Amino acid sequence: MLPTIRFANIGWDDNIFRLSRTEDPQGDFTATVTPAARASLRTRRVSLAGRGQLDFNYFKQFSDIRSIDSDVAGRGELALGRITPYVGGEWTNARHRRGLEIDLPVRRVDYSWYGGVDLRVSGRTSVGVMARRSGVDYRGEAVFEDTDLEEYLSATTRIEGLRLRYSVTPLTTIGVEVERDRNTFALATERDSEGVRVTSVVEFQPLAIVNGRAQVGIRRRNFSDGAAANFGGTVVRVDLGYTLLGRTRIGVTGRRDLAYSYRIDQRDYLQSGFDLSVTHRLTEAWDVVGTLARYNLVYDLAAGRTRSEQVIGTGVNVGYRVQRTRIGFQVARNVRTSDFSVGREYEGMQLASSVSYEF
């Protein structure tokens, strides 16, 4: 068991609702307390792992958006010689985990259940099948820019897939994944779709010089009613890390993929961009973290137009460690620009201190 507790974002946000300067943005004093824990159990045949956390979000002036957010996940595996069945699930009930497109703090529930079987064909090669069911559910008065989010974004997704893995070295694995997905909406049935994704995968174990996972491939989506244009193109998912000279940690996550839009006239958009973080240990006690995020949201893909929005986030966090406690101070800035929607632009600055403790 690895419990932690974090007092994060104790400070000031000068644009709580991500409004443009012409709409009179308002600031507030905010605070978040986050107790979290990870646990795992391994025997010769059984492997269990889980995590969970709660976010207690406080706003001094805007008391109506105070909330308790939760996030839990678990996975179990059973080793039966060459065959390894597994099951798992994830569940998030949150109000303040904002996306790139929707900035209003609205209650959203995400859930996912999955299961599969991996078969070891040889010492280096394995094949597997999997199935996943996930869903998105907006709760309460979930209205954003005159769009009922429950109607246009609450959906169920079913995925079936096949994967092939080959261990090039003890620390490096390559493979191929093929997935078929179906998205079903209870109310906005014109958004129902199905598609296929084929990607190549490379995975690096935690002890490798570069660790993490990267996927590159192609995806196709077809809408059931035939009124909207289909999509076919390249998709990318990257989550990699590298430690330089034992003192500097570089991490990058990237994504190029489709996402459903809240806009009534736009069923989906292409989201592409990256998050970069650099953590440098100045001394045994002091460290500094720099972050940069840059994403493009492109609409009207089939029409060949260039309607897009851009979101950029930057931040610096300076921290001091005392045994298992880290005390930090952070300055962050977020900017969104749009070349086709009036009032979507905003700028926001956050000044915050944080305290985290690992038991």
Side-chain angles (χ1 to χ4, degrees):
M1 176 77 72
L2 296 173
T4 65
I5 186 167
R6 182 171 62 252
F7 298 87
N9 298 328
I10 305 173
W12 180 260
D13 188 332
D14 73 351
N15 194 346
I16 293 293
F17 298 105
R18 304 297 188 262
L19 300 176
S20 66
R21 292 302 176 188
T22 61
E23 295 180 289
D24 189 25
Q26 301 181 65
D28 198 0
F29 173 85
T30 70
T32 303
V33 180
T34 304
R38 292 178 178 270
S40 62
L41 172 66
R42 291 182 180 274
T43 67
R44 189 170 65 90
R45 293 189 178 276
V46 178
S47 175
L48 301 174
R51 61 170 176 81
Q53 76 173 53
L54 293 173
D55 296 329
F56 296 88
N57 300 291
Y58 171 81
F59 295 83
K60 182 179 180 180
Q61 179 179 350
F62 298 100
S63 59
D64 57 324
I65 61 172
R66 296 173 186 170
S67 72
I68 301 176
D69 298 344
S70 57
D71 183 12
V72 295
R75 178 185 170 98
E77 298 181 1
L78 179 62
L80 302 174
R82 292 179 176 268
I83 299 176
T84 304
Y86 60 88
V87 295
E90 302 172 357
W91 187 77
T92 302
N93 186 339
R95 186 172 188 175
H96 290 282
R97 298 192 177 187
R98 309 185 189 190
L100 296 177
E101 196 188 37
I102 299 174
D103 300 300
L104 190 70
V106 294
R107 178 66 62 182
R108 168 174 165 166
V109 176
D110 294 271
Y111 66 87
S112 176
W113 309 100
Y114 61 88
V117 177
D118 287 332
L119 171 64
R120 182 163 51 84
V121 179
S122 67
R124 293 191 173 188
T125 305
S126 66
V127 296
V129 294
M130 59 80 67
R132 177 188 294 267
R133 178 187 173 113
S134 59
V136 179
D137 184 12
Y138 283 85
R139 302 288 179 86
E141 297 180 0
V143 177
F144 181 69
E145 295 192 355
D146 299 325
T147 298
D148 185 344
L149 301 182
E150 182 179 6
E151 177 179 356
Y152 286 94
L153 290 181
S154 291
T156 301
T157 301
R158 293 178 174 84
I159 299 175
E160 297 87 33
L162 172 69
R163 70 179 189 176
L164 172 67
R165 291 287 191 274
Y166 178 76
S167 298
V168 181
T169 71
L171 299 178
T172 305
T173 302
I174 60 175
V176 176
E177 293 185 357
V178 180
E179 295 180 350
R180 179 175 182 266
D181 64 84
R182 288 166 290 178
N183 299 284
T184 304
F185 290 77
L187 299 176
T189 56
E190 71 277 2
R191 293 190 164 215
D192 291 354
S193 68
E194 61 180 24
V196 176
R197 181 201 305 263
V198 181
T199 57
S200 59
V201 183
V202 58
E203 297 175 332
F204 304 99
Q205 296 299 316
L207 295 179
I209 297 177
V210 175
N211 53 75
R213 172 186 172 97
Q215 286 182 267
V216 180
I218 57 175
R219 179 177 185 178
R220 182 170 181 83
R221 170 179 284 174
N222 301 321
F223 287 96
S224 300
D225 68 354
N230 300 325
F231 171 83
T234 304
V235 292
V236 178
R237 292 184 181 180
V238 174
D239 186 359
L240 298 173
Y242 172 70
T243 301
L244 176 65
L245 302 177
R247 301 186 69 88
T248 304
R249 175 70 177 174
I250 302 171
V252 59
T253 61
R255 176 184 175 94
R256 186 181 194 270
D257 206 347
L258 291 176
Y260 273 99
S261 175
Y262 77 92
R263 299 172 183 268
I264 298 176
D265 62 338
Q266 296 290 327
R267 300 191 185 183
D268 57 8
Y269 61 92
L270 182 65
Q271 173 183 311
S272 60
F274 65 89
D275 285 86
L276 174 67
S277 67
V278 179
T279 303
H280 180 67
R281 185 173 293 278
L282 301 172
T283 66
E284 290 301 315
W286 289 93
D287 63 46
V288 59
V289 182
T291 58
L292 170 64
R294 184 185 183 96
Y295 284 90
N296 287 319
L297 284 58
V298 180
Y299 300 84
D300 286 337
L301 300 173
R305 302 173 185 172
T306 57
R307 302 206 306 171
S308 65
E309 295 182 350
Q310 186 177 82
V311 181
I312 300 176
T314 55
V316 176
N317 187 309
V318 178
Y320 180 77
R321 288 186 175 273
V322 182
Q323 296 181 350
R324 297 182 178 182
T325 303
R326 183 183 187 275
I327 303 170
F329 180 78
Q330 174 178 305
V331 178
R333 182 172 181 264
N334 297 284
V335 177
R336 179 171 63 203
T337 59
S338 176
D339 62 18
F340 70 99
S341 292
V342 177
R344 287 281 291 169
E345 300 88 354
Y346 76 80
E347 294 182 16
M349 180 75 73
Q350 298 84 42
L351 305 175
S353 59
S354 63
V355 179
S356 59
Y357 179 81
E358 298 181 357
F359 290 87

